[in-house]
Amino acid sequence: MNSSALSRRGFLRGSAASVLAAATLVEAGVANAANSERSGLEPKETFDLVIVGSGFTGLAAAYAALENGLKNVLVLEKMHVFGGNSVINAGQVSLAGSGLQKSKGIEDSAALMKEDMLRAGQRFNHEALVDALVKEAPACYDMMVDCGVKFADDVIRLGGHSAPRTIFASNYSGGGICVPMHKWLRGKGVVFRNRSFVRDLIVEKDEVVGVEVVPEYDFDTKKGGEAYAVRAEKGVVIASGGWGSDKEFIATSMPPYRTLACTSQKGATSETIRMLLGYGAMPVMLDIYQIGPWATPDEFGAGAGSVFADYIFAEGIMVDSRNGRRFVNELASRRERSEAEMKCLDKDGNPVFPFGFCSEETTKNRPGFETSLREGTTKRTESVEELAALYGAPVDELKKQIDEWNAMVRAGKDTAFGKPIDKPIELRPPFYSIRFWPKLHYCMGGVGITDKAEVLSYKTCRPIAGLYAAGEVTGGVHGMDRLGSTSSTDCLAMGRIAGRNAALRKI
Amino acid sequence: MNSSALSRRGFLRGSAASVLAAATLVEAGVANAANSERSGLEPKETFDLVIVGSGFTGLAAAYAALENGLKNVLVLEKMHVFGGNSVINAGQVSLAGSGLQKSKGIEDSAALMKEDMLRAGQRFNHEALVDALVKEAPACYDMMVDCGVKFADDVIRLGGHSAPRTIFASNYSGGGICVPMHKWLRGKGVVFRNRSFVRDLIVEKDEVVGVEVVPEYDFDTKKGGEAYAVRAEKGVVIASGGWGSDKEFIATSMPPYRTLACTSQKGATSETIRMLLGYGAMPVMLDIYQIGPWATPDEFGAGAGSVFADYIFAEGIMVDSRNGRRFVNELASRRERSEAEMKCLDKDGNPVFPFGFCSEETTKNRPGFETSLREGTTKRTESVEELAALYGAPVDELKKQIDEWNAMVRAGKDTAFGKPIDKPIELRPPFYSIRFWPKLHYCMGGVGITDKAEVLSYKTCRPIAGLYAAGEVTGGVHGMDRLGSTSSTDCLAMGRIAGRNAALRKI
C-alpha cells in the first residue's frame, strides 16, 4: 500500500518553515492598504477572475467559474509545487449524496451531515455556511468525476459521521484529485502560474479589482522578480489555505500552542490572512486550531506513526513517562487527549513526551505499523524493563500500571478513565510503542464569509466588493472543531460557491 | 438590601443599543488608517497619557500612571455617564493575597488563583498575562483602599475559586469602587471628560502619539461637536471595554449568538475594537463570548431574576416548554446550560423559552427573590395546571416530570442528568418560576497584548509603539471562559500594568 495512504497528511521533506520577520515582509512587499496608485503598478493583464492558491479550493473555484461562463481565469500559486496541503493528504472527501454513495444504496442526507458537523463544531458553526456546503456536496462529486478523478469503489464511515459518506481517490492521495483537476482545467484554458506570490490586493473605491504579484518567488529566501499587477474583472478568490506552519503567528495569537509542530506543508504561512485583515476582513475563530493527539515528534507531519497511533489508543494505553501512569481516556476527543498530553511538562514548561504502547496482537495487519516500525517511529521492546528504560519511566510504576490495566481488561471496564474496552487484549511483551506530542493540524478560523463566499468586513459587517474566500483561509464552517475529512468538502464546496458567485456577479 | 446588590450587572434603563450603521460610522468619523496629516487636525493639547474609557481599567491605569510619576493624565469617556459596565456590576473583585484576605488569616496564593483561572479558561489562557495579573492582585487592593473605597468586612468563596478571595464594595455595587477612585483621581489633577468619543488614533511613523476626539458626543444620535486632536507624550491606553451590546457585530462574528440580548450598558459597542483592528492589533479569541444561562427575557440585563435563578437551578428544575421535560443538568457549566437552552427553537429557528421552577421552600431568604417576584420576573402559580398553562407546556408531561424528579430527590440521585442533589426538596405547589434565555455577558476576546499591556500587531507579531490596552477590550487573560468575578481583577491589575508601563516608557 502506498505510504501516502498511511498519512493523514504527509510532509514534504525540506527545511522547516521559516519565520517571516518584519524585514522580509518589507522585502516581499506585503503592503498594508496599498492600491495601484500607491505602488504605481499599472495592470499589464486582465483576467475575468484571479484565484490565489491551487489546492482543492482554487481548483474548485476555477471549475465553477468556467461552468458559469467565465473564459479567462488565472490561478496563482506561491510555492514551486502546486496543490498546497491538498496534495499531501489521504485524498478523502466526505459527501452526503454523492453519486458513488447513492450507487451503493446508502441512506444519508444533507440534514444528517449538517447535524454531524454542528455537533462536532459544538454549534459554534456559522449555520448558513454549513447549509450551503451540504447543499453543494453532490455537485462536488460530479465535478471531480467530470475532471477524470478516479475514486476507489468504496464509501466508508469515519468517526463522527452518522452514515458512510467518505470517498477517496483510488491512489489514496490528495494528488489523485488535484492532478486530474489541474490537467483538466489547463486543458480548458485556465492559466496556472507557480512561484507567484500575491503580495497585495488592488483596491479602487472600496472594491477589489486585482492583485499585485511577485513572480519567480522563492519561499525560502522570500525574494523574487519584478512585481506586476493583474486586473480581475469579476474579482479575486482567496484560496490560500491555513497557516499552521507559521510558528511566530501562532505563538502570538495562541501562546499555549507555541511549542507545536504542524502537519502542514512549509508554505502554510500567514501572509495572506494578515493581508486580508489589513483590508478589514472579519476575523472568525482565528485562534481556534485543531490539534492531533496522534502526532509524534519522531516523524515529519502526520505520517505512518500517526495512523498506527489510533490502534495503540484503541487497544493499548498511553502513560506519562514521568510516572508510568495513564492520565486520560485514550479514546476521548482529539482536543481532550491533546490537552492532556500537553500537560506533561517539566518545571521549566518544556514537553516531557508521554508514550503509548500495545501488544503484538494489535499490530497485525494494521495500517501504518510496518512503515512506522521500519522508519523507527514505532519501537519494539522485549520487556517492560526495556520499555521503561527507553522512555525514562519508573519501571515499578509502569509494571503496576500494566497489571492494573490488564485487570480492567479482564473485567471489561476502565474504572480510571472510562475508555471503552471492546476487545479483551491484555498488555504483554513484546511491546510496540510511540511517543506522542500534539501537532497543529488545521486552522478552524480565518476570515468571515457569507454563504456566497463573499468576504465580510468588520468595519461595515457587509461584504467587501470583489473579494471572495473559501477553504481553510475562512472561518465559521467548522465552528469549534472540524469533523474528520470535511476540510476537503469545505474546500470543494465553498470553492465552487466562490467561483460561481464571482462569475455571476453583476458589475 | 440594595437592589443592585442583587444584580450581576444591572442595566441602565433607556433605549436599546443602537446598531451602528456604516453611514453613522462616517458621521462619527471612524477612520481606517487616518493620521494627523490625513485629517489635518493639529493637536491643541498635550498630555503625558491619554486613557480611553473610565471604568475600572481606566481608573486603575490613571492611578498607576500617577504612581509612576506622570503629572498630566486625560481620561476620555464616550458616554454621558462615567464608568461603563464597571458601575453597574455587584462590586466584587477576586484577589489572592489582598490585605483584607490576609487580615482574616485565609490561606491562598497567586499560584492557586492562576490555576483556577487556567482551569476555567480550559488552558487557552495566555499564561504570561495570568502570571502578571495574579502578581499585581495585592497592589489592586491597596490602590482601592488608598482611594477611599469601602469594602464589606467579608471575603467570600465563589464557584470555581479554590479559596475565599472575593471581596466586595460595602454598597454591593461597582459604583462603590468607581466613584471614590474617580474622585480621588480628580483630586490629584487627572482630567476627566465625558461625552468625548475617541474616533481615531494619531499615528506617526508607526507610533501612536495621540487621539482625535469628538466632544459633546451623543451616543444615541452619533453626533457631536467639532473634533479636536490631543497629543499623548507617553502614548494611549485603551480601556474601552467590551462590545456585548453591538448586535450587528456579534451577528457577523458569531451568528449563533445573534438572537441574544446582553447584560452590558448600551454603550458597549464595537467602534474601538474595530479601530484597533484597523491599526493592525492582533485579534485574540475575538468571537468567544461568555453567555449566562441564568438570564431571562423578562428583565433588562442581569437583574434580580438572574440572581434568584441560581437557587432555582440548585434546588428546582428547568424544563423545555414544548414537552415539559428536563434537558440538562441545571448545575452544569454556564456554557453547557446556555447551549442547551439555545437548542429550544421552533422550526423557524426562533427561541421557545424554557422555564425553571421551584417550591416555596427554595424562596425563603434568598437574594433576588422578593425583588424579582415584585417585578414580575419570578411568577407564582398555585398548581401544576396553572404552571403548564402559563408557559404553554403539556400538563400531563409536566406532571410526569415532576413526579420523576421527586422520586430522584427521594433516592438522592439524578439518574437523568447527574445533577448533584444536596437537599431533599421535592417540587410541590405553589411553584415559583422564571423563563430563561441566555444573555451575552462578557467578551473573552479582544486585542492581544504583552504582559506589559502593550498591544500586539498581527503584521509584525510585535508591540505597536505607544499603544496599550487592558480589561475587556483585550483577549487572552481568560482563555475560553472567564472565572467568576475576575473581570474586575483583570481591569484593575492589567489597567495598573498599562498605566505603569506607559509611564515608565523611555521615549
Side-chain angles (χ1 to χ4, degrees):
Chain A
M1 202 189 274
N2 186 331
S3 69
S4 52
L6 312 174
S7 307
R8 283 180 175 81
R9 283 184 187 167
F11 192 86
L12 299 178
R13 292 195 172 276
S15 60
S18 344
V19 169
L20 203 62
T24 54
L25 279 173
V26 170
E27 278 170 25
V30 172
N32 181 19
N35 53 44
S36 58
E37 291 174 320
R38 241 176 80 159
S39 68
L41 286 183
E42 277 308 306
K44 292 211 182 74
E45 304 167 280
T46 299
F47 282 84
D48 292 328
L49 187 67
V50 170
I51 297 170
V52 182
S54 65
F56 288 156
T57 304
L59 295 167
Y63 182 99
L66 298 184
E67 195 176 31
N68 285 278
L70 296 192
K71 297 277 179 280
N72 303 307
V73 176
L74 173 65
V75 177
L76 298 167
E77 168 56 51
K78 172 177 80 177
M79 305 298 282
H80 189 108
V81 175
F82 287 105
N85 276 336
S86 298
V87 284
I88 62 168
N89 58 48
Q92 295 178 338
V93 192
S94 299
L95 298 166
S98 69
L100 183 52
Q101 187 194 47
K102 284 179 178 164
S103 76
K104 295 186 177 301
I106 295 168
E107 290 215 26
D108 196 2
S109 69
L112 192 57
M113 181 165 178
K114 171 181 173 180
E115 184 52 35
D116 289 344
M117 291 180 69
L118 292 182
R119 190 174 55 249
Q122 298 177 34
R123 307 196 103 80
F124 281 78
N125 318 57
H126 291 204
E127 208 173 317
L129 303 184
V130 182
D131 284 332
L133 181 155
V134 295
K135 188 174 167 191
E136 197 70 24
C140 294
Y141 176 74
D142 298 338
M143 165 181 72
M144 291 188 281
V145 168
D146 189 36
C147 290
V149 172
K150 298 283 173 267
F151 290 101
D153 184 26
D154 199 1
V155 184
I156 60 180
R157 180 176 167 179
L158 295 184
H161 290 268
S162 295
R165 61 169 73 107
T166 304
I167 63 178
F168 45 100
S170 56
N171 70 346
Y172 303 96
S173 163
I177 296 171
C178 290
V179 172
M181 286 190 73
H182 185 119
K183 283 182 169 159
W184 188 93
L185 290 164
R186 271 194 198 264
K188 300 289 182 189
V190 172
V191 176
F192 284 85
R193 292 180 189 161
N194 65 343
R195 302 187 65 197
S196 297
F197 173 56
V198 174
R199 75 175 187 183
D200 203 4
L201 302 176
I202 300 174
V203 179
E204 288 173 4
K205 293 191 181 64
D206 293 327
E207 181 184 345
V208 174
V209 296
V211 292
E212 291 186 359
V213 187
V214 176
E216 298 136 42
Y217 182 70
D218 183 81
F219 178 80
D220 295 323
T221 64
K222 302 289 173 287
K223 289 178 162 44
E226 192 178 333
Y228 65 95
V230 180
R231 184 164 283 276
E233 293 285 324
K234 295 283 196 166
V236 176
V237 175
I238 305 292
S240 53
W243 53 91
S245 293
D246 199 327
K247 283 193 101 99
E248 185 184 55
F249 189 85
I250 287 164
T252 310
S253 87
M254 180 54 81
Y257 289 175
R258 67 190 176 286
T259 62
L260 302 184
C262 76
T263 61
S264 292
Q265 51 95 15
K266 69 178 180 179
T269 46
S270 67
E271 309 94 320
T272 304
I273 185 72
R274 283 187 277 166
M275 178 182 77
L276 295 174
L277 291 175
Y279 281 103
M282 171 72 90
V284 170
M285 316 292 285
L286 197 69
D287 21 41
I288 305 300
Y289 301 95
Q290 190 179 68
I291 49 182
W294 27 253
T296 168
D298 295 321
E299 65 188 5
F300 279 122
S306 77
V307 175
F308 179 58
D310 277 347
Y311 299 94
I312 290 181
F313 286 134
E315 296 176 4
I317 62 174
M318 173 167 62
V319 300
D320 186 329
S321 55
R322 297 168 298 176
N323 61 19
R325 304 290 305 165
R326 290 175 72 222
F327 57 93
V328 71
N329 169 4
E330 293 86 350
L331 291 179
S333 71
R334 280 182 181 182
R335 185 178 293 280
E336 211 178 319
R337 282 179 286 163
S338 296
E339 287 171 358
E341 289 174 6
M342 287 173 72
K343 285 184 188 170
C344 298
L345 302 167
D346 65 20
K347 60 175 176 51
D348 300 316
N350 299 314
V352 184
F353 305 120
F355 63 98
F357 60 100
C358 63
S359 303
E360 192 154 76
E361 188 176 338
T362 296
T363 71
K364 303 211 178 298
N365 294 319
R366 284 299 168 47
F369 172 66
E370 295 289 349
T371 302
S372 61
L373 187 69
R374 185 177 66 246
E375 292 176 347
T377 309
T378 298
K379 300 165 174 56
R380 172 183 167 133
T381 47
E382 308 303 328
S383 65
V384 64
E385 288 79 10
E386 195 185 336
L387 179 66
L390 179 59
Y391 296 104
V395 61
D396 290 338
E397 285 299 324
L398 188 58
K399 276 183 182 174
K400 195 163 153 224
Q401 173 67 82
I402 291 172
D403 291 342
E404 282 175 25
W405 175 254
N406 289 341
M408 292 201 284
V409 165
R410 289 188 293 271
K413 195 171 168 68
D414 173 8
T415 50
F417 295 101
K419 175 171 123 174
I421 299 179
D422 291 334
K423 297 186 190 175
I425 300 175
E426 294 186 38
L427 291 167
R428 306 222 174 286
F431 299 112
Y432 293 85
S433 60
I434 296 178
R435 59 180 188 160
F436 293 118
W437 198 255
K439 283 183 183 168
L440 210 124
H441 184 53
Y442 183 78
C443 305
M444 256 74 72
V447 298
I449 54 171
T450 66
D451 60 3
K452 294 182 164 56
E454 303 156 305
V455 175
L456 286 161
S457 162
Y458 61 73
K459 298 180 215 175
T460 61
C461 294
R462 305 283 187 279
I464 297 169
L467 189 60
Y468 301 82
E472 200 176 348
V473 75
T474 68
V477 170
H478 305 290
M480 281 295 300
D481 205 6
R482 175 171 74 71
L483 190 57
S485 288
T486 51
S487 172
S488 38
T489 318
D490 179 18
C491 295
L492 296 165
M494 302 311 292
R496 284 180 54 80
I497 287 168
R500 175 166 68 245
N501 280 283
L504 298 177
R505 184 179 167 220
K506 295 180 180 19
I507 304 293
Chain B
M1 204 191 273
N2 188 331
S3 68
S4 51
L6 311 174
S7 307
R8 283 181 173 82
R9 282 183 187 168
F11 192 85
L12 298 177
R13 292 195 173 276
S15 61
S18 345
V19 169
L20 202 64
T24 55
L25 278 173
V26 171
E27 279 172 26
V30 174
N32 180 20
N35 54 46
S36 58
E37 291 174 319
R38 243 177 78 160
S39 70
L41 286 182
E42 276 308 306
K44 293 211 182 74
E45 303 167 282
T46 299
F47 283 83
D48 292 329
L49 187 67
V50 172
I51 297 170
V52 182
S54 66
F56 289 156
T57 304
L59 297 167
Y63 182 100
L66 298 184
E67 195 175 31
N68 285 277
L70 295 193
K71 297 278 181 280
N72 302 307
V73 176
L74 173 66
V75 177
L76 297 168
E77 169 55 52
K78 172 178 80 178
M79 305 298 283
H80 189 109
V81 176
F82 287 105
N85 276 336
S86 298
V87 285
I88 62 168
N89 59 49
Q92 295 177 340
V93 192
S94 300
L95 299 166
S98 70
L100 183 52
Q101 188 195 45
K102 285 179 178 164
S103 76
K104 296 188 175 299
I106 295 169
E107 288 214 29
D108 195 2
S109 69
L112 193 57
M113 181 165 178
K114 171 181 173 180
E115 184 51 36
D116 289 344
M117 291 179 69
L118 292 182
R119 190 175 53 251
Q122 298 174 35
R123 307 196 102 81
F124 280 76
N125 318 56
H126 293 203
E127 207 172 319
L129 303 184
V130 182
D131 283 333
L133 181 155
V134 296
K135 188 174 166 187
E136 197 71 24
C140 295
Y141 176 74
D142 298 338
M143 166 180 71
M144 290 187 282
V145 168
D146 190 36
C147 290
V149 173
K150 297 285 175 267
F151 289 101
D153 184 25
D154 198 3
V155 185
I156 59 179
R157 180 176 168 181
L158 295 184
H161 291 266
S162 294
R165 61 170 74 107
T166 304
I167 64 180
F168 45 99
S170 56
N171 70 346
Y172 303 96
S173 163
I177 295 171
C178 289
V179 172
M181 286 191 71
H182 185 118
K183 284 183 168 161
W184 188 95
L185 290 163
R186 271 194 199 263
K188 300 289 183 187
V190 173
V191 177
F192 284 84
R193 291 179 191 163
N194 64 342
R195 300 187 65 199
S196 296
F197 173 56
V198 174
R199 74 175 188 183
D200 203 5
L201 301 177
I202 300 174
V203 180
E204 288 172 4
K205 294 190 180 62
D206 293 327
E207 181 183 343
V208 174
V209 296
V211 292
E212 290 187 359
V213 187
V214 176
E216 298 138 40
Y217 182 70
D218 183 80
F219 178 80
D220 295 322
T221 63
K222 302 290 174 285
K223 291 180 161 38
E226 192 177 333
Y228 66 94
V230 180
R231 184 165 283 277
E233 295 283 327
K234 294 283 198 167
V236 177
V237 174
I238 305 291
S240 53
W243 53 93
S245 293
D246 198 326
K247 283 193 102 97
E248 185 184 56
F249 189 86
I250 286 163
T252 310
S253 87
M254 179 55 81
Y257 290 175
R258 67 190 176 286
T259 62
L260 303 185
C262 75
T263 61
S264 292
Q265 52 95 15
K266 69 179 182 179
T269 45
S270 66
E271 310 94 317
T272 305
I273 185 71
R274 283 187 277 166
M275 178 182 76
L276 295 174
L277 291 174
Y279 280 103
M282 171 72 90
V284 169
M285 316 292 286
L286 198 69
D287 22 41
I288 304 300
Y289 301 95
Q290 190 179 70
I291 49 181
W294 27 253
T296 168
D298 295 322
E299 65 187 8
F300 279 121
S306 77
V307 176
F308 179 59
D310 276 346
Y311 299 94
I312 290 181
F313 286 135
E315 298 176 4
I317 62 174
M318 172 167 63
V319 300
D320 186 329
S321 55
R322 297 168 298 174
N323 62 18
R325 304 290 307 166
R326 290 174 72 221
F327 56 94
V328 71
N329 169 4
E330 293 86 349
L331 291 179
S333 70
R334 280 182 181 183
R335 184 178 293 279
E336 210 178 319
R337 282 179 285 163
S338 297
E339 287 171 356
E341 289 175 7
M342 287 173 71
K343 286 182 187 170
C344 299
L345 303 167
D346 64 19
K347 59 173 178 53
D348 300 316
N350 299 314
V352 184
F353 304 121
F355 63 98
F357 60 100
C358 62
S359 304
E360 191 153 77
E361 189 177 337
T362 296
T363 71
K364 303 209 178 298
N365 294 320
R366 284 298 165 52
F369 172 66
E370 296 289 349
T371 301
S372 60
L373 187 69
R374 185 178 64 246
E375 292 177 347
T377 309
T378 298
K379 299 164 174 57
R380 172 183 166 130
T381 47
E382 307 303 328
S383 65
V384 64
E385 287 79 8
E386 196 184 338
L387 178 65
L390 178 59
Y391 296 103
V395 60
D396 290 340
E397 284 299 326
L398 188 59
K399 276 183 183 174
K400 195 163 152 225
Q401 173 67 83
I402 291 172
D403 291 344
E404 283 175 25
W405 174 253
N406 289 342
M408 292 201 285
V409 165
R410 289 188 294 270
K413 196 171 167 69
D414 173 8
T415 49
F417 296 101
K419 174 171 123 172
I421 298 179
D422 292 335
K423 297 185 190 176
I425 300 175
E426 294 187 38
L427 291 168
R428 306 222 174 286
F431 299 112
Y432 294 85
S433 60
I434 296 178
R435 58 178 188 161
F436 293 118
W437 198 256
K439 284 183 185 168
L440 209 124
H441 184 53
Y442 183 78
C443 305
M444 256 75 72
V447 297
I449 54 171
T450 66
D451 60 2
K452 294 183 163 57
E454 304 157 303
V455 176
L456 285 160
S457 162
Y458 62 71
K459 298 180 217 176
T460 61
C461 294
R462 305 281 187 280
I464 297 170
L467 188 61
Y468 301 82
E472 201 176 347
V473 75
T474 68
V477 170
H478 304 291
M480 280 296 298
D481 205 7
R482 175 171 74 70
L483 189 58
S485 288
T486 51
S487 173
S488 40
T489 319
D490 180 16
C491 295
L492 296 165
M494 301 311 292
R496 283 180 54 81
I497 287 169
R500 176 166 67 243
N501 280 283
L504 298 177
R505 184 179 168 222
K506 293 179 180 18
I507 306 292

